[in-house]
Amino acid sequence: MAQLLSRLRGIPFRFHWIVVILMAFVIPALTAKTEKPGEFYPFSNFPMYSRFAPDTYYVYVTDLNNVALPSGGLFGTSVSNVKKAYDRKLTNFKAEAGGKGKKANLPLEKKKEAADEVLHWLAKNAPDAEKVRALGGLRLHQVDVVFKDGKVSKSETQVGEIQFSKS
């Protein structure tokens, strides 16, 4: 054993070779019978960003005066979770319509319905519901980002609005 350790110390780049052996043999062997063979972060065979879509969108929430609101502090969730909830609603509406076409091509009425549901969800689950109700209402804005002909363009649409009753 001492002889093996002395030989290992003499190998240049020994850490490099340990990683190579780990990635080439050990990780594939340990993950062979999993749902995604070879998938073991950060040693992944599936690149997360193999290609970029030419269009996307993001959302944000404002009060009725179109002043952007801090999602984390006010609603207790990140704006990415707001987008995921909105996107899930759009996906459901797309499926109801037969699953054809793109979510971006859904009619504004369907986008409004999805956005209003998300805004109600935010208001209902906010840590300080009274603070949210004091705003009088909420709006959800969708900003479409498109890369075409070497240029990036943005267009913004207010997709939803809810108002709170004065009580």
Side-chain angles (χ1 to χ4, degrees):
M1 183 61 137
Q3 201 174 29
L4 177 64
L5 287 175
S6 68
R7 281 189 178 176
L8 283 176
R9 285 189 193 110
I11 298 174
F13 305 107
R14 65 183 162 276
F15 178 73
H16 168 79
W17 289 111
I18 291 170
V19 172
V20 167
I21 291 169
L22 183 72
M23 291 176 65
F25 301 108
V26 177
I27 291 173
L30 292 175
T31 61
K33 294 184 180 180
T34 62
E35 188 175 317
K36 294 182 180 178
E39 181 68 23
F40 187 78
Y41 179 83
F43 309 109
S44 175
N45 293 329
F46 307 101
M48 192 179 285
Y49 301 107
S50 60
R51 65 178 183 86
F52 292 102
D55 58 335
T56 189
Y57 73 94
Y58 63 90
V59 297
Y60 66 96
V61 181
T62 66
D63 62 11
L64 296 178
N65 297 318
N66 290 329
V67 175
L69 300 173
S71 296
L74 190 59
F75 303 114
T77 190
S78 67
V79 74
S80 65
N81 286 337
V82 175
K83 181 185 177 191
K84 288 173 189 170
Y86 176 63
D87 199 55
R88 227 177 353 262
K89 302 283 183 192
L90 293 179
T91 300
N92 292 341
F93 287 137
K94 179 183 160 194
E96 287 174 10
K100 296 185 179 182
K102 297 174 79 174
K103 288 182 278 190
N105 297 336
L106 284 170
L108 191 57
E109 297 82 33
K110 287 296 183 185
K111 289 181 180 182
K112 179 176 176 16
E113 190 177 336
D116 290 352
E117 287 181 31
V118 170
L119 291 171
H120 282 292
W121 168 73
L122 283 173
K124 179 182 172 189
N125 294 304
D128 189 353
E130 290 305 313
K131 191 174 181 181
V132 173
R133 293 187 72 74
L135 296 169
L138 301 171
R139 290 181 177 157
L140 187 73
H141 299 262
Q142 177 179 329
V143 180
D144 295 304
V145 182
V146 178
F147 180 73
K148 187 175 181 180
D149 299 328
K151 295 183 181 178
V152 176
S153 62
K154 293 188 333 181
S155 62
E156 182 174 331
T157 308
Q158 177 188 320
V159 287
E161 179 179 311
I162 61 169
Q163 294 188 11
F164 304 117
S165 60
K166 309 261 188 208
S167 41

